[in-house]
Amino acid sequence: MDRKIVKIGLLGIGKMGQNHLRNLNLLKNVEVSFIYDVNKDLLEKSAKEFDVYALKNESELESALIGSDGVIIVTPTFTHFDYIQKVSDHIKNIFVEKPLTDTLDSTQIIVDAARDKNLCIQVGFIERYNPAITALRELLKNSPRIFSIDFVRTNKMSNRITDVDVVMDLMIHDIDLSLLFNGEACEVQAHGVVINGMIEYARAIITHKNGAFSTITASRITEKRIRQITATCEDMYIDCNLLSKEVLVNKQTIEQHMHNISISSRSESIEVRPQEALLLELLDFSNMCRANAKDSHTHNIRNEIAPNEIDGQNAMKIANQIQNLIYNKH
């Protein structure tokens, strides 16, 4: 593959945007073509620190996009829709941090626009790139049957996140993973705790069409930070810690002793290679930009693991159901 320099613009340089900027600078054959943020002091500081061009105002965006191969949107969730609309007339390759937009209706508009304009949209479900998830997915694919998968994700409320509840902030990652592992849902049940008009604790049970269940718990009340997945399968039980990147497998073994049968459990640890999930995520996006460059003869090439706008919409539909179920009980 031609290793031409890929030029990528970055909209939003808050805490997550800074992480994107840092990782983009680690990628070979990738150039940050511009950065922009409404916070002018932060914009100027970041431009100097990373030696990149900062747009003076939003009116420069159109001309900056013409000279770019892709754009990354890491702005507050409520601005995603407007920014996607603004950039989609000028650029094909768009990365948007999760969730895709802040409402189901606006998400549908973006999905329709992606189809009509032949866009390549990647949604920032970063957990798909967690090396522990890669190991877990391989184990699940090789199991004869998955009975249930339990997800727990807790975090203390962040001062920087005030526009979305715990469902859109934390739970949506595990909703995406549940659909990735078990496919389409056919039923959703949910309970939660609403504080000051915002869901801060949510618990949902998703029944999938393949017969498996996903139980998802997300909390911003809990002080302890947890990222845990456990899977009960026909042939094994899997314990996966996304923070420590540990995957433990307990398999049943049947041993024959004369005329008696004894069942014992065999435990093994799966080796997980340490990798930076955001770096892998951005590598996928830069490769997509390269493959779908304006002068390329290829069209809409992407890694199959990279979540697109349909994945974003599917997760949004479930998240919206969970929110409605919880709010209707309060």
Side-chain angles (χ1 to χ4, degrees):
M1 182 186 289
D2 177 21
R3 304 308 294 178
K4 62 163 285 212
I5 298 293
V6 171
K7 297 182 178 182
I8 298 175
L10 179 62
L11 297 173
I13 49 171
K15 185 176 180 181
M16 195 61 191
Q18 290 284 325
N19 290 336
H20 277 265
L21 189 53
R22 175 176 56 82
N23 278 276
L24 284 170
N25 277 275
L26 296 175
L27 293 175
K28 293 182 179 179
N29 301 310
V30 171
E31 176 186 316
V32 180
S33 53
F34 68 86
I35 59 174
Y36 178 73
D37 197 283
V38 293
N39 185 328
K40 300 303 180 185
D41 292 336
L42 180 60
L43 183 65
E44 184 178 345
K45 179 183 176 184
S46 298
K48 289 180 179 178
E49 181 180 352
F50 291 95
D51 191 26
V52 293
Y53 177 71
L55 301 186
K56 296 180 181 63
N57 51 65
E58 207 170 291
S59 63
E60 291 187 338
L61 182 57
E62 182 178 339
S63 59
L65 289 170
I66 292 172
S68 302
D69 299 298
V71 65
I72 295 173
I73 300 172
V74 200
T75 56
T77 301
F78 71 89
T79 68
H80 287 184
F81 177 75
D82 287 340
Y83 273 121
I84 297 170
Q85 293 277 70
K86 285 177 182 177
V87 305
S88 62
D89 286 334
H90 311 288
I91 205 154
K92 176 179 182 176
N93 303 299
I94 304 169
F95 180 104
V96 188
E97 266 303 339
K98 63 80 195 169
L100 182 57
T101 74
D102 60 342
T103 70
L104 196 53
D105 288 342
S106 58
T107 294
Q108 182 63 60
I109 293 171
I110 296 303
V111 168
D112 293 340
R115 181 193 63 237
D116 296 340
K117 297 180 180 181
N118 198 30
L119 303 175
C120 282
I121 297 178
Q122 183 173 331
V123 183
F125 288 121
I126 192 171
E127 292 291 24
R128 289 194 180 204
Y129 294 89
N130 188 315
I133 291 295
T134 303
L136 174 60
R137 191 178 183 218
E138 285 303 307
L139 288 166
L140 294 174
K141 282 166 63 177
N142 292 318
S143 177
R145 185 180 176 188
I146 301 168
F147 293 127
S148 68
I149 305 180
D150 296 335
F151 303 82
V152 179
R153 186 176 296 259
T154 70
N155 217 55
K156 185 179 178 181
M157 178 61 182
S158 171
N159 292 329
R160 68 185 179 86
I161 299 173
T162 58
D163 61 327
V164 291
D165 62 21
V166 75
V167 177
M168 290 299 178
D169 179 21
L170 299 181
M171 183 177 268
I172 198 163
H173 280 295
D174 294 319
I175 293 171
D176 174 65
L177 291 176
S178 75
L179 298 175
L180 179 68
F181 294 149
N182 277 319
E184 194 174 346
C186 58
E187 183 183 355
V188 178
Q189 298 172 303
H191 302 275
V193 175
V194 178
I195 300 174
N196 296 325
M198 191 85 82
I199 300 171
E200 298 295 352
Y201 175 93
R203 184 176 178 85
I205 300 175
I206 300 171
T207 304
H208 299 268
K209 287 188 174 181
N210 69 351
F213 300 94
S214 295
T215 301
I216 308 177
T217 302
S219 173
R220 293 195 301 205
I221 299 171
T222 315
E223 290 283 334
K224 184 175 175 62
R225 189 165 182 255
I226 303 171
R227 302 283 188 275
Q228 194 79 22
I229 301 174
T230 54
T232 302
C233 304
E234 184 177 303
D235 57 338
M236 59 184 160
Y237 177 84
I238 309 167
D239 196 336
C240 179
N241 188 318
L242 302 186
L243 295 178
S244 62
K245 310 292 192 294
E246 291 178 316
V247 180
L248 301 175
V249 181
N250 286 276
K251 292 187 176 181
Q252 285 188 344
T253 57
I254 300 178
E255 300 172 352
Q256 182 79 42
H257 296 293
M258 297 296 287
H259 299 293
N260 299 317
I261 295 176
S262 65
I263 299 177
S264 61
S265 178
R266 175 166 55 87
S267 180
E268 56 187 70
S269 177
I270 304 300
E271 183 179 355
V272 178
R273 294 175 57 190
Q275 293 176 302
E276 171 75 49
L278 182 56
L279 192 64
L280 294 175
E281 187 177 44
L282 292 176
L283 179 62
D284 251 8
F285 181 64
S286 65
N287 285 337
M288 185 176 77
C289 292
R290 183 175 290 106
N292 299 323
K294 296 164 187 173
D295 57 350
S296 172
H297 298 294
T298 58
H299 300 283
N300 290 13
I301 292 178
R302 69 169 86 224
N303 186 331
E304 65 169 9
I305 198 66
N308 59 24
E309 68 280 358
I310 302 299
D311 296 312
Q313 182 184 44
N314 290 338
M316 187 70 178
K317 285 178 179 177
I318 302 296
N320 192 249
Q321 279 184 264
I322 292 168
Q323 286 177 316
N324 289 336
L325 286 167
I326 294 173
Y327 281 127
N328 288 339
K329 294 172 183 175
H330 288 79

